[in-house]
mmCIF file of all heavy atoms in Angstrom:
data_model
loop_
_atom_site.group_PDB
_atom_site.id
_atom_site.type_symbol
_atom_site.label_atom_id
_atom_site.label_comp_id
_atom_site.label_asym_id
_atom_site.label_seq_id
_atom_site.Cartn_x
_atom_site.Cartn_y
_atom_site.Cartn_z
ATOM 1 N N SER A 111 1.547 18.751 -12.006
ATOM 2 C CA SER A 111 0.983 19.986 -12.549
ATOM 3 C C SER A 111 -0.380 20.218 -11.916
ATOM 4 O O SER A 111 -1.227 19.329 -11.901
ATOM 5 C CB SER A 111 0.850 19.898 -14.068
ATOM 6 O OG SER A 111 0.021 18.802 -14.413
ATOM 7 N N ALA A 112 -0.552 21.435 -11.380
ATOM 8 C CA ALA A 112 -1.774 21.734 -10.634
ATOM 9 C C ALA A 112 -2.847 22.385 -11.489
ATOM 10 O O ALA A 112 -3.853 22.861 -10.976
ATOM 11 C CB ALA A 112 -1.427 22.646 -9.451
ATOM 12 N N GLU A 113 -2.642 22.412 -12.800
ATOM 13 C CA GLU A 113 -3.580 23.111 -13.682
ATOM 14 C C GLU A 113 -4.984 22.528 -13.620
ATOM 15 O O GLU A 113 -5.973 23.247 -13.703
ATOM 16 C CB GLU A 113 -3.069 23.069 -15.121
ATOM 17 C CG GLU A 113 -1.714 23.738 -15.294
ATOM 18 C CD GLU A 113 -1.102 23.448 -16.648
ATOM 19 O OE1 GLU A 113 -1.731 22.713 -17.435
ATOM 20 O OE2 GLU A 113 -0.003 23.961 -16.918
ATOM 21 N N LYS A 114 -5.080 21.196 -13.472
ATOM 22 C CA LYS A 114 -6.388 20.552 -13.524
ATOM 23 C C LYS A 114 -7.004 20.333 -12.146
ATOM 24 O O LYS A 114 -8.082 19.744 -12.034
ATOM 25 C CB LYS A 114 -6.282 19.217 -14.255
ATOM 26 C CG LYS A 114 -5.891 19.360 -15.719
ATOM 27 C CD LYS A 114 -5.995 18.047 -16.442
ATOM 28 C CE LYS A 114 -5.652 18.211 -17.921
ATOM 29 N NZ LYS A 114 -5.782 16.942 -18.655
ATOM 30 N N ILE A 115 -6.340 20.800 -11.090
ATOM 31 C CA ILE A 115 -6.869 20.570 -9.745
ATOM 32 C C ILE A 115 -8.225 21.239 -9.572
ATOM 33 O O ILE A 115 -9.119 20.701 -8.930
ATOM 34 C CB ILE A 115 -5.875 21.079 -8.671
ATOM 35 C CG1 ILE A 115 -4.663 20.169 -8.641
ATOM 36 C CG2 ILE A 115 -6.521 21.134 -7.306
ATOM 37 C CD1 ILE A 115 -3.646 20.540 -7.610
ATOM 38 N N ALA A 116 -8.386 22.441 -10.131
ATOM 39 C CA ALA A 116 -9.649 23.180 -9.982
ATOM 40 C C ALA A 116 -10.825 22.405 -10.567
ATOM 41 O O ALA A 116 -11.973 22.578 -10.138
ATOM 42 C CB ALA A 116 -9.530 24.548 -10.636
ATOM 43 N N GLU A 117 -10.547 21.525 -11.520
ATOM 44 C CA GLU A 117 -11.611 20.746 -12.152
ATOM 45 C C GLU A 117 -12.003 19.522 -11.325
ATOM 46 O O GLU A 117 -13.050 18.920 -11.548
ATOM 47 C CB GLU A 117 -11.170 20.284 -13.541
ATOM 48 C CG GLU A 117 -10.776 21.428 -14.474
ATOM 49 C CD GLU A 117 -10.132 20.918 -15.753
ATOM 50 O OE1 GLU A 117 -10.191 19.695 -16.005
ATOM 51 O OE2 GLU A 117 -9.564 21.737 -16.489
ATOM 52 N N LEU A 118 -11.144 19.154 -10.363
ATOM 53 C CA LEU A 118 -11.407 17.957 -9.576
ATOM 54 C C LEU A 118 -12.409 18.256 -8.469
ATOM 55 O O LEU A 118 -12.429 19.346 -7.906
ATOM 56 C CB LEU A 118 -10.102 17.447 -8.952
ATOM 57 C CG LEU A 118 -9.018 17.024 -9.942
ATOM 58 C CD1 LEU A 118 -7.740 16.714 -9.199
ATOM 59 C CD2 LEU A 118 -9.471 15.817 -10.743
ATOM 60 N N PRO A 119 -13.251 17.273 -8.127
ATOM 61 C CA PRO A 119 -14.210 17.495 -7.032
ATOM 62 C C PRO A 119 -13.496 17.526 -5.683
ATOM 63 O O PRO A 119 -12.503 16.831 -5.470
ATOM 64 C CB PRO A 119 -15.133 16.270 -7.131
ATOM 65 C CG PRO A 119 -14.285 15.215 -7.769
ATOM 66 C CD PRO A 119 -13.376 15.939 -8.721
ATOM 67 N N VAL A 120 -13.989 18.359 -4.788
ATOM 68 C CA VAL A 120 -13.441 18.399 -3.436
ATOM 69 C C VAL A 120 -13.881 17.137 -2.718
ATOM 70 O O VAL A 120 -15.046 16.741 -2.778
ATOM 71 C CB VAL A 120 -13.936 19.659 -2.689
ATOM 72 C CG1 VAL A 120 -13.449 19.673 -1.253
ATOM 73 C CG2 VAL A 120 -13.471 20.905 -3.425
ATOM 74 N N PHE A 121 -12.941 16.479 -1.995
ATOM 75 C CA PHE A 121 -13.251 15.203 -1.354
ATOM 76 C C PHE A 121 -14.300 15.350 -0.258
ATOM 77 O O PHE A 121 -15.139 14.507 -0.057
ATOM 78 C CB PHE A 121 -11.977 14.594 -0.758
ATOM 79 C CG PHE A 121 -10.962 14.219 -1.786
ATOM 80 C CD1 PHE A 121 -9.621 14.180 -1.471
ATOM 81 C CD2 PHE A 121 -11.336 13.902 -3.084
ATOM 82 C CE1 PHE A 121 -8.680 13.828 -2.420
ATOM 83 C CE2 PHE A 121 -10.405 13.552 -4.034
ATOM 84 C CZ PHE A 121 -9.062 13.520 -3.705
ATOM 85 N N ASP A 122 -14.226 16.430 0.497
ATOM 86 C CA ASP A 122 -15.092 16.629 1.644
ATOM 87 C C ASP A 122 -15.664 18.038 1.554
ATOM 88 O O ASP A 122 -14.922 19.000 1.378
ATOM 89 C CB ASP A 122 -14.275 16.455 2.932
ATOM 90 C CG ASP A 122 -15.126 16.568 4.178
ATOM 91 O OD1 ASP A 122 -16.247 17.089 4.085
ATOM 92 O OD2 ASP A 122 -14.671 16.132 5.248
ATOM 93 N N GLY A 123 -16.954 18.172 1.690
ATOM 94 C CA GLY A 123 -17.585 19.475 1.579
ATOM 95 C C GLY A 123 -17.079 20.491 2.581
ATOM 96 O O GLY A 123 -17.225 21.698 2.392
ATOM 97 N N ASN A 124 -16.468 20.022 3.673
ATOM 98 C CA ASN A 124 -15.950 20.934 4.693
ATOM 99 C C ASN A 124 -14.528 21.399 4.388
ATOM 100 O O ASN A 124 -14.001 22.263 5.080
ATOM 101 C CB ASN A 124 -15.969 20.260 6.074
ATOM 102 C CG ASN A 124 -17.381 19.932 6.505
ATOM 103 O OD1 ASN A 124 -18.296 20.697 6.235
ATOM 104 N ND2 ASN A 124 -17.555 18.799 7.164
ATOM 105 N N GLU A 125 -13.909 20.815 3.388
ATOM 106 C CA GLU A 125 -12.529 21.158 3.065
ATOM 107 C C GLU A 125 -12.472 22.387 2.171
ATOM 108 O O GLU A 125 -13.345 22.614 1.341
ATOM 109 C CB GLU A 125 -11.841 19.983 2.354
ATOM 110 C CG GLU A 125 -11.659 18.766 3.217
ATOM 111 C CD GLU A 125 -10.702 18.973 4.362
ATOM 112 O OE1 GLU A 125 -9.840 19.868 4.266
ATOM 113 O OE2 GLU A 125 -10.822 18.248 5.357
ATOM 114 N N ARG A 126 -11.413 23.158 2.332
ATOM 115 C CA ARG A 126 -11.218 24.335 1.495
ATOM 116 C C ARG A 126 -10.461 23.987 0.212
ATOM 117 O O ARG A 126 -10.461 24.757 -0.735
ATOM 118 C CB ARG A 126 -10.429 25.404 2.262
ATOM 119 C CG ARG A 126 -11.138 25.910 3.498
ATOM 120 C CD ARG A 126 -10.310 26.971 4.178
ATOM 121 N NE ARG A 126 -10.886 27.356 5.448
ATOM 122 C CZ ARG A 126 -10.327 28.214 6.276
ATOM 123 N NH1 ARG A 126 -9.168 28.769 5.974
ATOM 124 N NH2 ARG A 126 -10.900 28.516 7.425
ATOM 125 N N ARG A 127 -9.774 22.838 0.225
ATOM 126 C CA ARG A 127 -8.989 22.462 -0.947
ATOM 127 C C ARG A 127 -8.798 20.952 -0.958
ATOM 128 O O ARG A 127 -9.013 20.279 0.049
ATOM 129 C CB ARG A 127 -7.632 23.163 -0.926
ATOM 130 C CG ARG A 127 -6.768 22.818 0.275
ATOM 131 C CD ARG A 127 -5.558 23.731 0.369
ATOM 132 N NE ARG A 127 -4.681 23.352 1.476
ATOM 133 C CZ ARG A 127 -3.710 22.485 1.396
ATOM 134 N NH1 ARG A 127 -3.463 21.871 0.256
ATOM 135 N NH2 ARG A 127 -2.955 22.210 2.433
ATOM 136 N N ASN A 128 -8.385 20.429 -2.085
ATOM 137 C CA ASN A 128 -8.114 19.003 -2.216
ATOM 138 C C ASN A 128 -6.772 18.655 -1.591
ATOM 139 O O ASN A 128 -5.817 19.434 -1.666
ATOM 140 C CB ASN A 128 -8.101 18.593 -3.689
ATOM 141 C CG ASN A 128 -9.496 18.553 -4.284
ATOM 142 O OD1 ASN A 128 -10.337 17.806 -3.807
ATOM 143 N ND2 ASN A 128 -9.741 19.348 -5.298
ATOM 144 N N ILE A 129 -6.699 17.497 -0.976
ATOM 145 C CA ILE A 129 -5.465 16.989 -0.375
ATOM 146 C C ILE A 129 -5.159 15.652 -1.055
ATOM 147 O O ILE A 129 -6.058 14.831 -1.230
ATOM 148 C CB ILE A 129 -5.635 16.764 1.150
ATOM 149 C CG1 ILE A 129 -6.182 18.026 1.827
ATOM 150 C CG2 ILE A 129 -4.315 16.350 1.774
ATOM 151 C CD1 ILE A 129 -5.317 19.242 1.685
ATOM 152 N N PHE A 130 -3.887 15.437 -1.408
ATOM 153 C CA PHE A 130 -3.542 14.240 -2.175
ATOM 154 C C PHE A 130 -2.445 13.414 -1.513
ATOM 155 O O PHE A 130 -1.475 13.962 -0.994
ATOM 156 C CB PHE A 130 -3.091 14.629 -3.578
ATOM 157 C CG PHE A 130 -4.139 15.375 -4.358
ATOM 158 C CD1 PHE A 130 -4.077 16.740 -4.500
ATOM 159 C CD2 PHE A 130 -5.203 14.692 -4.927
ATOM 160 C CE1 PHE A 130 -5.047 17.432 -5.199
ATOM 161 C CE2 PHE A 130 -6.188 15.368 -5.635
ATOM 162 C CZ PHE A 130 -6.107 16.743 -5.775
ATOM 163 N N ALA A 131 -2.636 12.100 -1.558
ATOM 164 C CA ALA A 131 -1.598 11.160 -1.148
ATOM 165 C C ALA A 131 -0.882 10.606 -2.369
ATOM 166 O O ALA A 131 0.251 10.145 -2.283
ATOM 167 C CB ALA A 131 -2.200 10.026 -0.329
#
Side-chain angles (χ1 to χ4, degrees):
S111 59
E113 300 169 359
K114 296 188 178 181
I115 289 182
E117 303 171 11
L118 298 173
V120 176
F121 295 153
D122 183 343
N124 297 323
E125 294 294 336
R126 298 181 187 176
R127 61 190 183 88
N128 286 300
I129 308 300
F130 300 102

